[in-house]
Structure formats: C-alpha cells, structure tokens
Amino acid sequence: MLALRLVRGSHPLVQLRRLLVAAAAAGVGFLLLCTLGYAAGHPEHSAASVLRLLWCALPIAATVQFAVAVARTDPATRPRPGLSAIGLGPARLTAIAAASTAVACTLGSTVALLVYLHLRGALTGLPFDGAAAGLLAADRPLPLAAALTLLAIVPVAGATAAGLALRPRTGTPAPEGAARPLPNGLPWGIALVAVGLAVETYAGRGGGEGVALPGRFDGSPGGVLAGWILTAAGLALAGPGLTHLCGRLLQTARPGAVRLLAGRVLMDEATRIGRPLGVVCAVLSGTLAAATVYGSGDGGTAFGPLTGLGAGVVLACTTATLLTAALESRQCRAHTVEALARLGAPPTVLRTAALLRAGALLAVFLPLTWLIGELAALPLTA
C-alpha cells in the first residue's frame, strides 16, 4: 500500500518513466502470449515453439534492464535523513522499489493480456475483420494458467532485479577517486567480441539450420546468432573500459580546465554510463547487420510484425536505459555542480564539458558500432 501511495504522489516525469516501463512490459507480454498462441495452434511444431520462446529472452532482458535503471533514479526510494526514524531504512526502501517495479510491470502485463484477448475476439468479437486471427491462433482455446505464468515473468524478474541492484551493501565505502582505476572488463570484452565474430564467420561460411524468430525472420544459421550474442556480451563488458579511455583521451596533451573536468567525469562515471552504452552499441550493430543482410532481399518476408515489435522493444528499452543512466549520473554530480557554481564557474563551462563528453563518446562508439555491424553481416553476405 505504501508503494502505491508513493507511486501516486510522484513527480510527473517519474510517472512517465514508470509508464514507459509498463509499456515495455506490455510489449514483451504480448510477444510471450503470441508465442503461446503459436504453440497452441501448432502442437506438432514443439521445437519451433521453444525457439520462439527463447527469442523472447532478449526483449525480456532489455525490459528488466530498463526497469532497474528507472528504479535506481526513483526519488521515492532514495535514502534521506530522518526516514530511518519512521521505519523507512535502506532495506525498506529497497522493498518499496521492488514493489513499485512489480506494480509497473504488472500493469503492462495486464494491458498485454487485454489487447491479446481483444485481438483474438474473446472480448467484443474479432476486430480488423479477423486479420490477426491466424497469427494469434484465435480458433484454439488459450491455456489460462500458461498465459498467466508467462505474463508473470517480467514482473517477477523486474522486481527481483531491482531489489538486488538496490539492496543495502555492507562494508567500508570506496575512497574518493577509486572509480578511476581502469575497469577490468575491457580485456575480457575485447576477447568476447573477437570470439563472437570468429564464431559468426565460421558458422556463416559453414551454413547451418535456420533458427525461426517470432514473425517470419528465418534462415539465419544458429552459429551466427550465437556469435552475435557473444559479440553483444563483449560490447556490454567492454563499455565501461572504453568510456574510461575516452575520459583519458580528453585529458591528454596539456588539457585545460574544461577538458580536465570532462575527462574526470567520464572516468568517474565509466561504470554507470559505459555498460548501457555498450549494450546500445551491440543493439545498433545487430540492427545494422540485419539491415545489411536483408536490405537487398525481400524484407517483407524476412521481417514480420512480431519481429518488428520485439526489435522495437529492445531498441527502445536499451536507448531509454542509457538516457536514464545519464540522468542518474547527473543526479550524482549535483553536489559537484553546486560546488563549482559557488566557486564562480560560469554555466558555459559545464555545458562545454558536457558537449566534450558526448563528442568523445560518439567519436569512439559510432565507428565501433559500424565496424562490428559490418563484420557481423559479412559472413551472411559473402
């Protein structure tokens, strides 16, 4: 009940972020229900149904990541002086954050169920002259227990991930400036990217069985898709290290005050910004590879409506997670900005430093995204 009251009394921008989480959960829930409908309508194709269900793991992971990012920036769950005296300590605030995430995801899952039932004609008859009846297996009964189980995946996973990410941590706090030793994930990330590209090249030349995606996205060898997953994991792991190196590059060659400030902020925020930035890089490179492979062919038969929905959910959630991480970084730098303002620093210094940070990140990650996308598409176009 307390979580519902906090949700109702939050700032409109906070409410908007929660509604975006609910929208992402609705998209994922609809994909899961469509997968269930395919399994109910094609009982002889059980292997294809399992593969379609496994492909829904990517939108689920993107949605859970976005939900955790929104929970981290929620002002209602931020520890403040005096809250412990009324029983709202760190552990209770973590529980409230998990409950708020579960409420938003449950709202999205409920909307997905209502839309799915409406398109199947279970509420007011078949809409759109029954155009979606074949896709959703409207002529078969929907197993309610299985549908509710699938719809519970996102709320349970989102609440659990939010609780784990915001749980109180014991031990001594890290000393100031400890975030500026180079993140240790860069070598492992580079190795995973290299292994993923090698697996894609080997599988692309050797062929293989196609792996069906929801909505007519067939024909890609399973090894190529596994290699892309390794490449994406490597980019996410290498993102903090690359962001840290961007901060170092800004401080080379006798930097001035603005470049020094921009570089130090990037080094301090490398872990918070770098990981979602690496995930966005992986998603964009995969999108570029898919567009390169299927752009010259018949895109209408390669990309179906459910494939577009899943790709849209992944792209929107990863981009929104990056923007939310940037907002969290700005909130964490509020005391530093206030101190600089008290010292008389002009606002143009902060704006110029922000532009330098954005330019340095784009200069590194945009060419990397293009290169990975081209290399990933090369085995399938050669």
Side-chain angles (χ1 to χ4, degrees), residues 245-256 259-260 263:
L245 290 178
C246 289
R248 291 223 169 192
L249 289 175
L250 282 176
Q251 300 176 78
T252 57
R254 302 175 64 181
R259 281 204 293 139
L260 187 64

Side-chain angles (χ1 to χ4, degrees), residues 118-218:
H118 174 65
L119 293 179
R120 281 173 54 93
L123 299 180
T124 58
L126 283 174
F128 308 114
D129 296 329
L135 183 64
L136 305 182
D139 56 335
R140 298 295 182 94
L142 178 68
L144 184 59
L148 295 179
T149 301
L150 290 177
L151 289 176
I153 291 177
V154 175
V156 171
T160 303
L164 292 176
L166 300 177
R167 69 188 186 278
R169 290 174 174 80
T170 59
T172 58
E176 186 176 357
R180 292 193 292 267
L182 182 65
N184 55 7
L186 182 58
W188 293 102
I190 294 175
L192 275 179
V193 170
V195 171
L197 291 175
V199 170
E200 290 181 47
T201 303
Y202 179 79
R205 290 179 178 177
E209 295 182 356
V211 178
L213 288 170
R216 302 192 314 273
F217 188 81
D218 307 327

Side-chain angles (χ1 to χ4, degrees), residues 4 25 61 86 89 108 121 235 280 290 292 325 337 339 351:
L4 290 176
I86 59 175
L235 288 173
V280 170
T292 302
V337 173
R351 288 195 293 265

